[in-house]
Amino acid sequence: MHSETPYEITTIPTTPTAPRAEMLPHEIPPGVQLVTLPGGARTLAYTHPTAPAAPAPASAAQPIPTWAKTTALLVPTTGAGIATAGIGLSYAAPGLIAMSQALWSAVALIATSAGAVAVLLWAARTRTTKTPPTQITQHITATGLFGRANGTINH
């Protein structure tokens, strides 16, 4: 017999003239409960024990993956390294500024000295060679738009 309740109610028949004996809670045997029927009458009833809900299986402790351990160990190290680099740069900033100015000065010195060396070499070369430069004259003639060109070179 199925009903909306999870147990089956079996009432103890009583007669209207017979006095009802109420039982104390510790006198009720196992499997019997004092229930209130929809009509309001209270009576003892046999119940089927409901299966207790199975407890959720406790998830077994999973080991921490190696990559997570490695990352957890590297994060403070990386942060400390960045902080140390920032502190070092703040202390080194005046020196770095002076060094960059010195490097620009060195670049300017190298550029001007290279130009000066080129001028000195050109001047020295013109003094040692007193002969006039060679002059070459060339005469080229061609006939027509796509004609073959002929020429003579005179030293």
Side-chain angles (χ1 to χ4, degrees):
M1 171 175 178
H2 279 56
S3 64
E4 294 179 21
T5 57
Y7 45 83
E8 182 179 330
I9 300 174
T10 307
T11 59
I12 302 171
T14 57
T15 59
T17 58
R20 289 178 67 176
E22 293 289 329
M23 296 179 76
L24 297 175
H26 68 279
E27 296 175 339
I28 299 175
V32 176
Q33 285 185 346
L34 181 64
V35 295
T36 304
L37 298 175
R42 293 179 51 152
T43 184
L44 293 175
Y46 291 103
T47 59
H48 296 288
T50 57
S59 61
Q62 299 289 333
I64 298 173
T66 305
W67 66 267
K69 290 180 187 177
T70 305
T71 304
L73 291 173
L74 285 177
V75 167
T77 306
T78 305
I82 291 171
T84 304
I87 292 169
L89 284 175
S90 70
Y91 283 122
L96 291 175
I97 292 170
M99 203 181 326
S100 70
Q101 291 174 352
L103 286 174
W104 279 115
S105 300
V107 167
L109 179 66
I110 290 170
T112 55
S113 62
V117 167
V119 168
L120 287 175
L121 287 176
W122 178 76
R125 189 173 188 181
T126 55
R127 282 187 204 162
T128 59
T129 58
K130 294 289 182 174
T131 60
T134 307
Q135 191 170 9
I136 298 174
T137 307
Q138 188 175 11
H139 296 284
I140 300 173
T141 58
T143 57
L145 183 61
F146 295 107
R148 185 172 181 170
N150 293 321
T152 58
I153 297 176
N154 300 323
H155 292 281

